[in-house]
Amino acid sequence: MRPLVAITGATGYIGERLTLKALQSGYSVLALGRRPVDVVGVTNVAFDIQKPLIPSLPSEIIGLIHLAADIQGGSLDAEREALRCLAAALPKEARLLFVSSQSAAAPTSPYGYGKLELETEVTQLGGVSIRPGLVYGGPKKGLYGKLCNLVRRTRILPRLIWPRPLVQPIHVDDLAECLLTALNAPHKKTYVFAAAGQPIAFDTFLATLAANENGSRSLFLPTPMIALQVLLGFSSKATGNLSASDRLASLAATKRMDTSADLIKSGITLRPFPSIDTILGRSNLDMSEARASRRALLSEGGLMIAYLGRIKPPLSTVRAYARTMEQFKGQSLLKANLWRPFSTLALALLDRSKALGEREQELLRRLDLVLRLVESHPVSATRWLVAPFENRAMAPVFTIGAIGIAVGQEIIVRALRSFLAPAAARILFNNV
């Protein structure tokens, strides 16, 4: 016969994963709540923490995991009474597990103090309190879902400072395993169990979520904690919902929990919180190489633009060239940091050369790309189209002079191209 465990809040973020984990681990589940759980192997019993009554529970139940909470900031008395009703309904040997919060470890806000009071009630009832860190992973629900929506909506996120709050993330599936382990632990019946990973800055947590949701890095705006607290305070008074302001105060005052002893005792190893580089599929070495490759493409673009446009390379055009090449996985073809007069002459010798190898053909394709970028830039258009004709009386002179210079340059380049092209290739190309 499968052991029977009761769960309140089974339709919530953590409760949903805990229910599935319990079923996979060989338990039958009794879900207590206002909404039924439509999953095979789950029996539903009506229960409302805001209007608690002692539920009728089977005698074979081995324990109850209490996840349900009044997220609207209602009466603490109702939650305390709900705990008493649940404890009264349990068989004598069944264990009561209350899922609290890390804020109860060092409370400074009504939210944290409320959780600590409920933990005290659980201890008096002979139960166990679990203090999880910031839960992430799995379905985008609860606070985790709200944070995911936040990082999707905006690429500029707050970096909270003064103080810079810390969080200790724990994956929702690891928390579910901790809860089921605590349910059967041979320890003393009443204790507090800390379940959380290593501490990281809250903005690092947000940055990692943003990388996972958007596939890129986000920008962060330093935001004093006091400024955000004042803003949320006004908003909370206007809406009558104080939970957001209370939770921010709890976040600001969050202290590091030492969880190593509890985790070692339980035999549970938490998965490490992923780094941004891991999520984006790049190691630190890869990123260093990517930056070097970007610099080389910027140098190459600037050289080609100066050659074709006869202008100081506009930064926006140089960046457009680098982005285009990166999009097509193109590496830098030309050596970086070349002296511009020599490199311009070398480009002229290879441009339209008849002895076209693979590198020369690629060079011509890139020059064609640069020509299109230069023609579309307003600085180049002004230089080529407007400036020569500002003085209409002198326009024919400018035109004839420009044609003469171009013809002279072409004659010289053609004369030198046949025997200087190999040297030009050695000057310009990488890995020659």
Side-chain angles (χ1 to χ4, degrees):
M1 183 177 177
R2 293 162 67 98
L4 179 62
V5 58
I7 300 174
T8 67
T11 58
Y13 168 47
I14 300 173
E16 185 179 278
R17 298 292 278 200
L18 175 61
T19 299
L20 294 177
K21 181 73 172 177
L23 293 172
Q24 293 168 0
S25 301
Y27 292 91
S28 293
V29 174
L30 190 70
L32 284 73
R34 290 176 296 175
R35 292 179 294 160
V37 177
D38 187 16
V39 176
V40 176
V42 176
T43 303
N44 292 285
V45 173
F47 184 75
D48 187 349
I49 64 169
Q50 294 177 338
K51 300 175 183 178
L53 297 172
I54 298 177
S56 177
L57 301 181
S59 59
E60 64 270 20
I61 195 169
I62 66 167
L64 184 146
I65 302 174
H66 183 38
L67 285 162
D70 186 357
I71 61 175
Q72 301 301 324
S75 170
L76 188 63
D77 291 336
E79 290 201 59
R80 188 182 291 111
E81 184 61 27
L83 276 170
R84 293 169 181 168
C85 290
L86 293 171
L90 284 175
K92 184 177 180 180
E93 297 302 320
R95 174 169 278 173
L96 171 64
L97 262 65
F98 168 61
V99 181
S100 181
S101 167
Q102 185 175 355
S103 300
T108 58
S109 67
Y111 176 78
Y113 281 115
K115 289 296 184 182
L116 184 58
E117 285 187 40
L118 293 175
E119 284 186 8
T120 303
E121 184 71 30
V122 170
T123 299
Q124 294 173 354
L125 294 171
V128 176
S129 295
I130 309 292
R131 291 175 180 169
L134 183 55
V135 186
Y136 73 96
K140 295 178 175 61
K141 299 175 66 176
L143 177 59
Y144 171 64
K146 292 178 181 178
L147 293 176
C148 287
N149 289 334
L150 170 67
V151 299
R152 275 198 304 268
R153 287 198 304 266
T154 176
R155 296 301 176 91
I156 301 178
L157 299 170
R159 173 172 280 126
L160 299 178
I161 55 175
W162 305 332
R164 188 183 185 192
L166 299 176
V167 294
Q168 292 180 252
I170 179 171
H171 194 278
V172 63
D173 291 335
D174 289 344
L175 177 57
E177 184 179 356
C178 288
L179 294 173
L180 293 176
T181 300
L183 193 66
N184 295 296
H187 317 140
K188 57 185 179 180
K189 192 173 183 182
T190 300
Y191 64 99
V192 175
F193 183 96
Q198 293 300 311
I200 62 173
F202 180 62
D203 54 87
T204 301
F205 181 84
L206 286 182
T208 306
L209 291 191
N212 186 60
E213 292 296 314
N214 305 321
S216 62
R217 296 173 183 270
S218 293
L219 298 176
F220 280 84
L221 178 67
T223 305
M225 179 70 77
I226 185 66
L228 193 56
Q229 286 178 319
V230 170
L231 181 63
L232 279 179
F234 283 123
S235 175
S236 299
K237 289 179 180 179
T239 60
N241 183 3
L242 301 179
S243 60
S245 180
D246 286 347
R247 293 201 176 199
L248 182 65
S250 296
L251 175 64
T254 298
K255 304 297 182 184
R256 182 184 185 277
M257 287 195 305
D258 185 4
T259 63
S260 56
D262 287 339
L263 293 175
I264 291 173
K265 188 184 298 182
S266 66
I268 296 173
T269 301
L270 303 183
R271 69 195 72 188
F273 188 68
S275 68
I276 299 176
D277 297 341
T278 300
I279 289 176
L280 296 179
R282 296 180 295 191
S283 65
N284 290 332
L285 178 61
D286 292 334
M287 294 189 68
S288 177
E289 292 176 349
R291 286 192 290 267
S293 175
R294 181 68 184 270
R295 286 195 296 269
L297 286 172
L298 290 171
S299 174
E300 178 177 287
L303 174 61
M304 291 184 175
I305 292 168
Y307 164 64
L308 287 176
R310 304 293 194 270
I311 58 172
K312 182 180 178 180
L315 185 57
S316 59
T317 309
V318 176
R319 287 175 174 171
Y321 173 81
R323 286 195 300 268
T324 304
M325 295 310 303
E326 286 174 339
Q327 184 177 356
F328 292 99
K329 309 297 183 184
Q331 299 297 318
S332 174
L333 186 67
L334 307 182
K335 293 178 182 176
N337 303 320
L338 292 170
W339 191 40
R340 186 150 292 172
F342 278 163
S343 56
T344 302
L345 176 59
L347 276 174
L349 291 171
L350 293 176
D351 191 6
R352 299 184 302 279
S353 175
K354 294 181 180 179
L356 292 181
E358 183 178 340
R359 288 187 305 243
E360 288 79 2
Q361 291 177 355
E362 176 62 22
L363 174 62
L364 296 186
R365 285 193 289 268
R366 296 190 183 199
L367 285 172
D368 184 60
L369 167 64
V370 170
L371 183 60
R372 295 174 187 274
L373 292 173
V374 169
E375 288 175 341
S376 66
H377 197 278
V379 174
S380 306
T382 301
R383 178 179 176 85
W384 288 357
L385 301 177
V386 178
F389 302 104
E390 288 178 349
N391 189 336
R392 294 184 178 275
M394 297 297 293
V397 177
F398 287 145
T399 303
I400 294 172
I403 293 174
I405 292 173
V407 170
Q409 288 178 340
E410 184 66 19
I411 291 173
I412 294 172
V413 168
R414 289 194 177 209
L416 298 176
R417 180 175 292 151
S418 58
F419 57 91
L420 289 183
R426 283 193 294 271
I427 292 174
L428 283 179
F429 291 128
N430 281 319
N431 303 319
V432 177

